[in-house]
Amino acid sequence: MADIIQLLPDHVANQIAAGEVVQRPASVVKELLENAIDAGALTIKLIIKDAGKTLIQVIDDGKGMSETDARLSFERHATSKIRTADDLFQLDTKGFRGEALASIAAIAHVELKTKQEGDDVGNVIVIEGSNVVSQEVVVTPKGTSVSVKNLFFNIPARRNFLKSNTVELRHVIDEFQRVALAHPDISFALYNNGSESFNLPVSNYRQRIVNIFGNKTNERLVPVEEETEVLDISGFVGKPEFAKKTRGEQYFFVNNRFIKSAYLNHAIASAFDGLLKNGTHPSYFLNLTVDPQTIDINIHPTKTEIKFDDEHTLYALLRSAVKHSLGQFNIAPVLDFERDPNLDTPYDYKNNTANVPKIEVDRSFNPFQDDTQPKTRTTTTTTYKKEPAANWESLYVGLESKGTQTDQDFSEVHFESEESTPSIFDDEKQVESGNTTHQLHNKYIVSTIKSGMLVIDQHRAHQRILYEELLKNMTVKEAVSQQLLFPLQLHFSAQEITIVKQLKADLENTGFVFSNIDEESVEITGVPVSVPESEVSIILEQLMSDVENEVPDSSFSATDLLAKSMAKSLAIKTGQSLQKDEQEHLVNKLFACKEPNISPTNRSTFITLSVDELDKKFL
């Protein structure tokens, strides 16, 4: 029988490896930025076109490569970071597996320009689908420039799985921000389709956070510092009042490497216990420095998950450090037994003695005695005069127990307010008028129908009603707006401002009026009639989160997504009590919708229970 096992060709093996290393344009950005940092660069530029699908270029001023190193860098498992297997447990660099450039070159057109500091000229290598097209001498500045064009050009199936440019650009910016936050001592710049999105000079860690997320972030940060034998913690956490409904601004860095850890995230959440509103998440930017021998980095293809030797100790240290910082800066209530200078005696009263009041009792006082002459007694400080008591029997004149006048007076007593408790069985007027809706646990509306009963989820039903109304307003463009007495100014990051600009036209069709949109803030002078002013920031935050995370593919409708997001934010919540007319109105509006059966998120809005089903429950 013939042998059936064979070695795969190099270009096929490279494409398989590329499936692990390169999942989307953001993966290429991450690998190239990390290589630039390992090369000792002080200035790094990232140039993006069409969210990285057309071009990804990283330019650095690092030490560069020789002619031989430039050619070897595209071979599989070729790296300068490790020599032996033991080096895997002493890592202080970023890319170390030697698969990044080989995998990228297998699925894209790559051009590499590099020059070392002592050389007169550099080298340029052009590779297309793992095939070296040319390698020549070129005049180029010191450092390395890598251009990745036409990603997945030879794997169209993988290219079809990419999301829209908006989603892919968000992932690229996320990777850029993670690397930039981990290295504030390096200057970074990002150019998207010819325009500058970020320009981050060398700065301290706090200023780097402010440069990325906006100037208003500065006043929201609480520093965290802790040094122990096991772990060094430094960075910042956000104040509880600025917590967001999304987890966007949550960053853990272990030895200057971004990681994701649900376990450590729980430690932060427990430190904020009792300080956050329901459904909100704290912001944090924390650097953890541990012994490289106590962690294993290479357990995940993207190296964003790390295995710790002693997670329980890290959990306790992290939780206590954050809790201590919140208490130290008066963010959280603490028990402090030290003297509070605010409670000191003012200077004017510091040397004065307290005046002790004198208490005297008139033992001869009789309230029922009819005194004709007032008695007076004088003390050193106060004079008291006893008034004669009136004839106390006259107080009861006219209060006979049996009198028509008394009965008449009490019959006209009106109570200020009296709480009424509706009853399902005794309210005959309600049944006669056809009002048969009842609210159950402030969550469901129960109504009777001919075949049985109807149970409606009030939150989902209201979502469906608002969704169709908003869609109609955006399509017909006849939304009603209410002007604000004072303009509302909201502050967002540069990435969020970009999303607002993209959705501005659709938002204006719903009733929003924007007077000014600059690099860090949005000024609103009008809102839709159904939107309270206090809910505007929550609605916009939820909308931006939905645009970033919930876009299904490149063929989505921005108008549809906007209507869904706003309906979700504006719908009445579970636990809200509704009056009878509000319940009836909700039911009537629901069944006037085109698709009353499901909510905008494709969930059932109501269920029916027939009489037969109810009868079976009593068998």
Side-chain angles (χ1 to χ4, degrees):
M1 187 175 179
D3 298 332
I4 59 175
I5 297 178
Q6 60 182 358
L7 291 174
L8 290 173
D10 285 343
H11 69 279
V12 178
N14 284 340
Q15 288 187 6
I16 295 174
E20 290 186 358
V21 178
V22 183
Q23 291 144 6
R24 59 192 343 145
S27 306
V28 178
V29 171
K30 176 179 182 294
E31 299 291 348
L32 296 182
L33 289 177
E34 290 180 348
N35 284 342
I37 293 171
D38 288 338
L42 297 178
T43 303
I44 300 175
K45 293 181 181 179
L46 172 62
I47 301 173
I48 299 293
K49 287 186 179 179
D50 296 334
K53 298 175 184 178
T54 302
L55 172 67
I56 300 172
Q57 184 177 7
V58 174
I59 305 172
D60 67 72
D61 60 351
K63 55 189 177 184
M65 290 182 283
S66 64
E67 181 180 356
T68 305
D69 287 344
R71 180 65 186 86
L72 275 176
S73 64
F74 288 97
E75 298 295 330
R76 290 195 68 196
H77 303 299
T79 179
S80 63
K81 317 295 173 58
I82 59 176
R83 290 286 184 269
T84 65
D86 293 337
D87 294 339
L88 290 172
F89 303 99
Q90 295 283 349
L91 289 172
D92 57 358
T93 56
K94 304 289 186 182
F96 56 87
R97 294 180 299 176
E99 292 184 66
L101 289 180
S103 300
I104 294 169
I107 55 174
H109 298 160
V110 180
E111 182 183 76
L112 170 68
K113 292 181 181 180
T114 183
K115 191 191 86 165
Q116 292 180 319
E117 188 171 2
D119 297 340
D120 295 331
V121 292
N123 293 275
V124 57
I125 299 178
V126 179
I127 299 178
E128 296 180 359
S130 295
N131 298 320
V132 179
V133 177
S134 65
Q135 181 171 357
E136 300 173 349
V137 175
V138 69
V139 176
T140 184
K142 184 200 111 171
T144 304
S145 170
V146 184
S147 300
V148 179
K149 304 175 182 177
N150 304 323
L151 196 64
F152 298 125
F153 79 100
N154 54 353
I155 314 179
R158 290 291 302 274
R159 191 177 180 90
N160 291 336
F161 277 102
L162 294 179
K163 305 295 184 183
S164 65
N165 286 353
T166 303
V167 177
E168 294 300 338
L169 179 61
R170 180 185 66 84
H171 286 287
V172 168
I173 292 177
D174 282 347
E175 292 293 349
F176 176 81
Q177 290 178 347
R178 291 167 183 173
V179 175
L181 283 172
H183 299 276
D185 55 337
I186 300 177
S187 174
F188 289 89
L190 171 60
Y191 298 90
N192 176 36
N193 293 333
S195 62
E196 183 182 84
S197 298
F198 291 95
N199 189 356
L200 310 175
V202 176
S203 60
N204 57 30
Y205 190 49
R206 188 184 193 116
Q207 190 61 42
R208 175 57 57 90
I209 296 173
V210 172
N211 288 338
I212 292 177
F213 296 101
N215 292 330
K216 283 294 179 179
T217 311
N218 189 31
E219 62 189 33
R220 306 176 183 178
L221 299 178
V222 178
V224 179
E225 295 286 341
E226 192 68 41
E227 294 184 5
T228 65
E229 297 179 356
V230 181
L231 171 70
D232 290 346
I233 305 173
S234 64
F236 301 90
V237 295
K239 294 181 180 179
E241 58 265 29
F242 299 107
K244 295 190 173 183
K245 288 186 173 291
T246 60
R247 300 178 182 269
E249 297 180 2
Q250 295 185 342
Y251 295 89
F252 275 125
F253 300 97
V254 175
N255 295 351
N256 291 333
R257 184 189 300 274
F258 173 79
I259 67 159
K260 296 177 181 178
S261 175
Y263 188 68
L264 296 182
N265 179 72
H266 189 273
I268 304 294
S270 62
F272 277 88
D273 189 22
L275 300 176
L276 299 175
K277 298 179 182 178
N278 291 333
T280 60
H281 308 280
S283 302
Y284 53 80
F285 312 87
L286 296 176
N287 296 300
L288 313 180
T289 304
V290 298
D291 186 354
Q293 295 184 354
T294 63
I295 58 176
D296 185 4
I297 298 171
N298 202 23
I299 65 170
H300 194 271
T302 61
K303 294 172 287 187
T304 56
E305 296 182 10
I306 291 181
K307 183 174 178 56
F308 297 93
D309 281 353
D310 189 2
E311 285 188 331
H312 297 287
T313 301
L314 298 183
Y315 182 99
L317 290 174
L318 189 60
R319 180 179 180 273
S320 61
V322 174
K323 208 170 185 63
H324 177 262
S325 293
L326 293 175
Q328 183 180 6
F329 290 92
N330 297 326
I331 306 299
V334 294
L335 283 176
D336 189 0
F337 294 99
E338 296 181 357
R339 181 182 61 83
D340 187 353
N342 294 326
L343 301 179
D344 289 347
T345 306
Y347 292 113
D348 294 343
Y349 299 92
K350 187 173 183 181
N351 299 320
N352 292 353
T353 58
N355 295 325
V356 181
K358 296 182 179 180
I359 302 175
E360 295 184 1
V361 179
D362 186 3
R363 299 184 181 277
S364 62
F365 174 71
N366 184 358
F368 300 101
Q369 181 179 357
D370 187 8
D371 294 338
T372 56
Q373 295 180 353
K375 297 180 180 179
T376 60
R377 56 186 174 87
T378 305
T379 63
T380 57
T381 58
T382 309
T383 301
Y384 299 94
K385 182 176 180 181
K386 176 174 169 286
E387 297 294 338
N391 192 0
W392 60 272
E393 291 90 348
S394 62
L395 298 175
Y396 297 93
V397 175
L399 294 180
E400 292 85 356
S401 59
K402 296 180 181 181
T404 57
Q405 183 66 28
T406 304
D407 296 338
Q408 182 179 358
D409 293 341
F410 277 99
S411 64
E412 295 179 357
V413 174
H414 297 282
F415 292 98
E416 184 176 351
S417 63
E418 183 176 358
E419 185 178 353
S420 59
T421 305
S423 173
I424 296 177
F425 303 102
D426 297 334
D427 198 350
E428 298 178 358
K429 294 182 180 179
Q430 176 180 322
V431 177
E432 291 175 0
S433 62
N435 185 356
T436 56
T437 60
H438 303 280
Q439 193 175 24
L440 183 64
H441 295 299
N442 289 342
K443 183 176 183 180
Y444 300 106
I445 297 176
V446 181
S447 180
T448 58
I449 54 178
K450 289 183 179 180
S451 60
M453 63 185 297
L454 192 70
V455 182
I456 302 173
D457 187 312
Q458 65 183 34
H459 177 62
R460 295 181 186 175
H462 200 211
Q463 274 192 51
R464 164 53 63 179
I465 297 168
L466 291 174
Y467 170 69
E468 295 197 3
E469 288 181 354
L470 289 167
L471 266 185
K472 179 181 177 182
N473 291 339
M474 283 185 251
T475 306
V476 182
K477 300 181 180 180
E478 292 182 353
V480 180
S481 176
Q482 60 179 353
Q483 296 299 308
L484 300 177
L485 183 60
F486 300 102
L488 185 63
Q489 193 166 24
L490 304 175
H491 297 273
F492 298 108
S493 64
Q495 184 180 355
E496 293 170 335
I497 291 293
T498 304
I499 297 175
V500 172
K501 289 180 179 178
Q502 293 174 354
L503 300 175
K504 179 183 177 184
D506 291 326
L507 285 170
E508 288 176 341
N509 290 337
T510 64
F512 283 97
V513 179
F514 298 92
S515 60
N516 183 36
I517 300 179
D518 56 24
E519 296 180 355
E520 293 185 355
S521 64
V522 175
E523 190 174 80
I524 300 174
T525 57
V527 296
V529 175
S530 57
V531 177
E533 183 179 349
S534 59
E535 297 284 329
V536 173
S537 60
I538 299 174
I539 291 172
L540 292 181
E541 284 183 12
Q542 183 68 52
L543 174 62
M544 287 182 283
S545 173
D546 292 342
V547 170
E548 290 180 344
N549 302 312
E550 297 182 5
V551 180
D553 51 36
S554 58
S555 61
F556 81 103
S557 168
T559 304
D560 182 73
L561 179 66
L562 177 60
K564 285 181 179 178
S565 179
M566 291 186 63
K568 182 166 57 175
S569 301
L570 293 173
I572 55 176
K573 303 298 186 290
T574 297
Q576 183 173 342
S577 178
L578 301 177
Q579 300 295 328
K580 290 296 179 182
D581 53 348
E582 294 174 330
Q583 298 171 23
E584 282 192 340
H585 181 71
L586 187 68
V587 175
N588 295 334
K589 293 284 285 184
L590 174 65
F591 288 101
C593 294
K594 294 180 180 179
E595 295 183 11
N597 298 334
I598 57 174
S599 69
T601 54
N602 294 326
R603 295 184 179 183
S604 300
T605 56
F606 65 86
I607 60 171
T608 57
L609 291 174
S610 64
V611 177
D612 293 338
E613 290 175 333
L614 291 173
D615 290 340
K616 291 178 182 179
K617 300 291 183 182
F618 291 94
L619 293 179

